[in-house]
Amino acid sequence: MAQMTESFRYLKTFDEIGINDVALVGGKNASLGEMVRELTPLGVRVPGGFAVTAEGFRAFIDGAGLRPKLETLLDGIDKGNLDDFARRGRALRETVYAAPLPDDLAAEISAAYARLEEEYGAHTDVAVRSSATAEDLPSASFAGQHDTFLNIHSAGQLLDAVKRCFASLFTDRAISYRIDQGFPHLKVALSVGVQKMVRADLASSGVIFTLDTESGFRDVVFLTAAYGLGENVVQGTIDPDEFYVHKPTFEAGHRCVLRRVRGAKQLKMVYAEGRSRQAVRNVPTSDAEAARFCLSDDEVLELAEAAIKIERHYSKVAGVDRPMDIEWAKDGQSGALYITQARPETVISQRRHDVYQTYVLKARGPVLARGRAVGARIGAGKVRIVRSVAELQSVAPGDVLVADNTTPDWEPVMKTAAAIVTNRGGRTCHAAIVARELGIPAVVGAEGATERLPEGREVTVSCAEGDEGVVYDGVCDFAVEELDLTSLERPATHVMINLGNPELAFRTSFVPNDGVGLARLEFIISESIRAHPLALLQPERIEDAAVRKEIEGLTRGYASGADYFVEKLSEGVGTIGAAFWPKPVIVRMSDFKTNEYRSLLGGAPFEEEEPNPMIGFRGAARYTHPKYEAGFALECAAMRRVRADMGLRNVKLMIPFCRRVEEGRRVLDRMAEHGLRRGEDELEIYVMCEIPNNVVSIDAFSEIFDGFSIGSNDLTQLVLGVDRDSEVVAFDYDERDPGVLETIKLAVEGARRNGRHSGICGQAPSDYPEIAEFLVRVGIDSISLTPDTVIPTTHAILALEKTLGRTPRGTGAGW
């Protein structure tokens, strides 16, 4: 839109304003202007439009003589008196809306809209958004406090929408916000942004954060998407699709989506038709729409690139890293992707990561509901179900607020809740955003929670167990552990982490570490893929119709079962690799036993029943065997995608339960055939040292592998001849046995003799501090631990190393 002429006193086009004009047009409009001026030349599409300035708002208030009446209504307002608070808010809004716009302001708005019609056609559809500011508080943020109106398509509708935006300065939530922040009510003004609508009603829209919204991890772009206009995603009324892109490898040229989660996308907001008084309406999505992602990978990557450019620009302007909260929309007519809003993210990015705080659930009751976890905290209280604004008064401080979904009007009460549970919504919905800001746990998208959680029942809401949030019956015991990491030294012995759950990867990366010593494929296969790999390749061999149908449901939307397996596995491993990038992440190829493979969906036709699966058809023996080689090919394809397509070359691979050197050679040859050649593209391949022959023949194994990771669980089993699955002889299973320790010592010495890396990833050093001490004394290169034992074991290692005269490698949180 061309710049306004000098005759316009109260309006500015977006290309006339920038980030320094917050006092004039509010943060939202100033940001739009900044993007139009600075980022459009870089290829970021931003719809044009204009802003009614704060000066125009003040001319309206003063011209209509509203200030004395507003001051009277605001005098002594108390949000603790809910009835009076609501009455005054309603009177304030009615007073503002009833007043006429000044003739000159109305004329300017109408003329500016006419110019938009000249550019885009008659009855151009626009979005009308509030953008608050303050006379002497230009840095204040009023995000989410005021109203927006969509699909406005005439000058008359626009003038009415502007007045409604002006009146929204006095919504209950906005008044409450100003009281909490200590802002004088009438020093705040309202600018109004008028922006050409993007026809997302015919396509999709959503929100982008340039960091992970749960952990604060900075190296990803997190994008949500749903069909239709974006208000459903912003307000959390639906469960959107989610996508992650890893910024460092993306900027290095690897154009690949790191991870995606398909949401239900229950509704889509579209333009209302006919003579409806509503400009927009919600309609159900079809089963076919819900079953597929609403964006292609190329579109996700285009949006990620725009988000990275926006973050880079705003960080440069601010002089500090500035994670961003961005709204986007796809035009269903042109197919083009637009950025419709951008603002600095001001909650998650402010968290301190030099203090490591963990919530630990020590007991669990029966599970009442499950959904998506927001935050990593735990809260407990009485269930209070709220189905309408009128019922908010029933919520007492410390209650667990349970609702279908929440809206900004609920915020005064949400601030007093111990936790929040909603039937609907994704991790960027209103309830999630408020919960993060307040530092309380929330479980969103917990379908049916308002029906399953009994009113008044005491429950525990846990978001400390991964991506899934759980509501337990009763008050469960939990603890909060806190540690200042700024002075934690880095020991000479590398301290790594055992991790199998990708959902915990970003959060766990803040634990001081030297990378991941063991990433297990088994967790990803059993939890995310769920089906036996051969069942995905050969579903015709499955006789059980119900199982076949379930597999068809899992793979719906994928070209084949193979594509489903490769994508899911690579995304799980890639998430762990990205979380710890560029530190090494050692990924162990699958090590299910036959009984565990049989328990996977569709596994029975492909697995025999073995009398002792612990020493049966497992590990390396499977990889080149006709009974499983096709499954191993899928694993290799997934790992190749992680390293080649995603660019995560910090991922090393490891072969488990390799009985003989010749067996190792066969596996390496097969991996090379599948595009994973040792030494090519920096690929290192380790072997588990968990069979006595690995130790006895360590010189020969060193010729074909790059390193050894001692599996203390199996090594103990085979040195002592104790089946660790047998309860009858469990009393004789002890990793501290002198024979086991001597075997470990020989392994470490053998690896050092051959110039190979030695590490341990078994459970022993996590369970027994004396074993960690023993490993340090014999000079092991790395010790990999469960996340909860990293900090205390690191302290113990540092203390021991000082007695041995070893110098720490440095200090600092995260290492």
Side-chain angles (χ1 to χ4, degrees):
M1 184 178 179
Q3 289 188 342
M4 300 291 184
T5 65
E6 292 299 322
S7 61
F8 287 111
R9 177 180 176 185
Y10 301 120
L11 309 184
K12 295 285 186 183
T13 56
F14 290 151
D15 55 4
E16 291 180 302
I17 53 181
I19 200 66
N20 294 321
D21 294 312
V22 173
L24 178 66
V25 294
K28 190 177 296 182
N29 288 333
S31 185
L32 280 169
E34 184 76 10
M35 288 193 294
V36 168
R37 290 198 321 192
E38 303 296 334
L39 290 164
T40 298
L42 300 180
V44 177
R45 296 188 196 91
V46 184
F50 62 90
V52 180
T53 64
E55 186 179 352
F57 172 81
R58 295 187 186 104
F60 163 66
I61 294 293
D62 294 333
L66 298 180
R67 199 171 293 272
K69 185 171 183 180
L70 298 179
E71 288 175 343
T72 299
L73 287 168
L74 288 165
D75 185 36
I77 192 168
D78 178 10
K79 67 176 189 173
N81 185 338
L82 290 179
D83 288 338
D84 183 63
F85 184 75
R87 181 189 61 78
R88 292 197 194 204
R90 185 167 53 253
L92 285 160
R93 294 189 294 276
E94 290 172 351
T95 297
V96 174
Y97 182 65
L101 290 172
D103 291 342
D104 55 350
L105 175 58
E108 288 189 11
I109 294 170
S110 296
Y113 180 73
R115 292 193 180 186
L116 283 174
E117 287 187 302
E118 290 174 10
E119 185 173 353
Y120 297 107
H123 301 293
T124 292
D125 49 343
V126 294
V128 184
R129 304 181 188 276
S130 306
S131 181
T133 185
E135 292 170 331
D136 53 359
L137 298 165
S139 62
S141 170
F142 300 94
Q145 305 303 318
H146 310 98
D147 288 345
T148 290
F149 301 92
L150 305 176
N151 188 21
I152 302 302
H153 50 264
S154 72
Q157 287 182 346
L158 176 56
L159 293 172
D160 183 73
V162 168
K163 280 211 302 178
R164 291 184 183 277
C165 282
F166 285 166
S168 76
L169 185 67
F170 300 104
T171 60
D172 291 357
R173 60 185 180 271
I175 298 169
S176 174
Y177 178 83
R178 291 193 295 271
I179 292 172
D180 290 343
Q181 300 298 324
F183 296 154
H185 294 287
L186 294 182
K187 285 200 172 184
V188 177
L190 206 91
S191 171
V192 177
V194 179
Q195 186 179 36
K196 174 68 179 74
M197 285 282 291
V198 177
R199 290 303 303 270
D201 62 304
L202 303 175
S204 56
S205 58
V207 178
I208 308 171
F209 286 89
T210 59
L211 80 176
D212 176 50
T213 56
E214 296 313 307
S215 64
F217 182 72
R218 297 285 187 94
D219 278 354
V220 289
V221 172
F222 173 53
L223 185 151
T224 61
Y227 296 112
L229 302 174
E231 296 304 299
N232 281 333
V233 177
V234 174
Q235 297 300 329
T237 54
I238 52 90
D239 183 19
D241 293 336
E242 295 181 352
F243 305 88
Y244 286 93
V245 175
H246 185 231
K247 287 188 278 191
T249 48
F250 178 85
E251 294 189 272
H254 294 276
R255 298 302 200 254
C256 188
V257 175
L258 177 68
R259 186 181 179 197
R260 75 209 77 203
V261 178
R262 189 169 58 205
K265 305 180 291 293
Q266 298 93 332
L267 300 169
K268 59 179 175 180
M269 184 175 287
V270 299
Y271 283 7
E273 299 173 355
R275 296 184 178 182
S276 170
R277 296 181 64 185
Q278 297 296 322
V280 295
R281 64 191 180 101
N282 271 320
V283 298
T285 52
S286 67
D287 290 343
E289 288 173 321
R292 63 175 181 262
F293 290 105
C294 60
L295 286 178
S296 69
D297 281 10
D298 287 343
E299 289 170 333
V300 172
L301 296 172
E302 181 180 337
L303 288 167
E305 184 170 21
I308 291 169
K309 288 177 180 177
I310 292 168
E311 180 183 53
R312 186 183 296 126
H313 174 75
Y314 280 78
S315 297
K316 182 179 179 180
V317 170
V320 295
D321 287 343
R322 184 58 59 84
M324 300 296 292
D325 173 355
I326 300 163
E327 294 180 24
W328 65 271
K330 178 182 176 180
D331 193 295
Q333 294 175 326
S334 68
L337 295 163
Y338 290 87
I339 301 300
T340 57
Q341 289 190 53
R343 64 186 70 85
E345 196 289 318
T346 57
V347 177
I348 307 115
S349 57
Q350 301 307 308
R351 291 177 183 166
R352 290 182 61 191
H353 292 297
D354 53 0
V355 174
Y356 187 69
Q357 188 181 70
T358 55
Y359 280 66
V360 181
L361 191 65
K362 296 192 171 184
R364 292 170 176 80
V367 175
L368 299 179
R370 299 178 186 271
R372 294 191 178 189
V374 175
R377 301 191 178 201
I378 301 171
K382 292 182 179 179
V383 169
R384 199 63 62 202
I385 298 173
V386 176
R387 293 183 171 85
S388 69
V389 175
E391 296 179 354
L392 285 173
Q393 295 185 34
S394 67
V395 181
D399 283 348
V400 174
L401 173 59
V402 182
D404 186 51
N405 65 299
T406 66
T407 69
D409 292 318
W410 294 27
E411 289 181 26
V413 172
M414 293 169 71
K415 292 174 181 177
T416 69
I420 299 168
V421 182
T422 65
N423 292 337
R424 296 187 286 160
R427 289 186 293 159
T428 57
C429 72
H430 175 262
I433 291 169
V434 172
R436 290 187 201 101
E437 185 173 347
L438 299 176
I440 60 176
V443 177
V444 299
E447 189 173 345
T450 52
E451 306 302 323
R452 292 202 299 270
L453 300 182
E455 178 77 21
R457 178 79 63 88
E458 287 191 324
V459 298
T460 300
V461 179
S462 173
C463 296
E465 301 168 82
D467 203 38
E468 184 178 63
V470 183
V471 182
Y472 295 102
D473 193 12
V475 177
C476 305
D477 186 26
F478 67 92
V480 183
E481 300 172 357
E482 195 169 274
L483 179 70
D484 184 353
L485 303 176
T486 55
S487 60
L488 184 64
E489 293 179 307
R490 190 176 186 180
T493 305
H494 287 223
V495 177
M496 305 179 81
I497 291 176
N498 293 339
L499 185 65
N501 186 350
E503 295 171 357
L504 297 175
F506 295 149
R507 185 185 309 164
T508 305
S509 71
F510 291 107
V511 178
N513 69 84
D514 290 299
V516 175
L518 175 63
R520 304 177 181 90
L521 294 194
E522 294 85 50
F523 183 94
I524 302 169
I525 293 172
S526 61
E527 296 295 320
S528 296
I529 295 172
R530 295 180 51 211
H532 193 291
L534 298 182
L536 294 169
L537 287 173
Q538 304 171 49
E540 68 278 1
R541 289 183 56 185
I542 302 170
E543 296 180 359
D544 189 321
V547 172
R548 281 202 311 273
K549 185 176 181 180
E550 193 169 352
I551 289 176
E552 287 171 4
L554 289 174
T555 58
R556 189 178 181 187
Y558 292 87
S560 66
D563 285 354
Y564 167 77
F565 183 93
V566 170
E567 185 172 287
K568 285 283 190 180
L569 187 58
S570 61
E571 288 181 356
V573 171
T575 299
I576 298 173
F580 292 85
W581 188 92
K583 298 174 185 176
V585 172
I586 302 171
V587 176
R588 187 179 70 188
M589 306 302 278
S590 68
D591 192 26
F592 281 128
K593 291 76 177 174
T594 49
N595 59 320
E596 294 167 333
Y597 266 119
R598 282 182 65 86
S599 68
L600 293 173
L601 193 63
F606 303 97
E607 301 292 337
E608 298 178 4
E609 294 192 36
E610 291 187 291
N612 192 346
M614 271 291 182
I615 55 173
F617 190 43
R618 61 175 288 200
R622 299 181 67 95
Y623 300 159
T624 60
H625 195 284
K627 288 186 176 181
Y628 188 73
E629 59 183 349
F632 184 63
L634 294 182
E635 294 182 33
C636 290
M639 296 307 100
R640 188 174 65 251
R641 184 170 187 262
V642 169
R643 290 181 46 82
D645 297 352
M646 295 181 178
L648 294 164
R649 292 187 179 178
N650 59 320
V651 169
K652 306 173 188 285
L653 302 179
M654 183 158 64
I655 307 304
F657 221 76
C658 186
R659 294 174 168 96
R660 301 174 60 245
V661 174
E662 184 55 38
E663 184 176 60
R665 288 197 179 96
R666 288 198 303 271
V667 170
L668 292 174
D669 288 345
R670 189 59 53 87
M671 292 177 74
E673 292 172 9
H674 293 311
L676 296 170
R677 186 178 299 277
R678 177 183 168 224
E680 205 170 85
D681 296 326
E682 307 168 24
L683 175 60
E684 292 186 4
I685 302 179
Y686 286 18
V687 67
M688 291 289 293
C689 186
E690 55 191 344
I691 299 169
N693 193 39
N694 299 145
V695 180
V696 173
S697 304
I698 198 163
D699 295 339
F701 277 102
S702 295
E703 293 178 6
I704 62 172
F705 290 108
D706 297 294
F708 298 87
S709 186
I710 297 166
S712 58
N713 297 348
D714 276 318
L715 191 59
T716 300
Q717 171 179 242
L718 296 173
V719 168
L720 299 180
V722 176
D723 181 352
R724 58 190 175 98
D725 270 358
S726 171
E727 295 180 4
V728 179
V729 293
F731 65 91
D732 261 338
Y733 180 88
D734 191 342
E735 298 99 319
R736 296 166 294 181
D737 184 90
V740 175
L741 296 179
E742 180 63 21
T743 306
I744 292 173
K745 179 183 176 184
L746 291 172
V748 173
E749 292 173 347
R752 186 187 307 118
R753 181 172 64 248
N754 287 280
R756 293 290 185 251
H757 176 90
S758 66
I760 187 166
C761 61
Q763 190 65 26
S766 296
D767 288 346
Y768 304 113
E770 61 267 38
I771 291 185
E773 178 180 338
F774 168 79
L775 293 166
V776 172
R777 288 187 181 278
V778 299
I780 199 165
D781 294 320
S782 68
I783 298 176
S784 195
L785 305 160
T786 55
D788 60 318
T789 63
V790 166
I791 300 298
T793 306
T794 297
H795 280 296
I797 291 172
L798 284 164
L800 176 60
E801 287 184 344
K802 287 178 181 178
T803 68
L804 299 174
R806 298 179 191 171
T807 304
R809 290 174 290 143
T811 59
W815 295 352

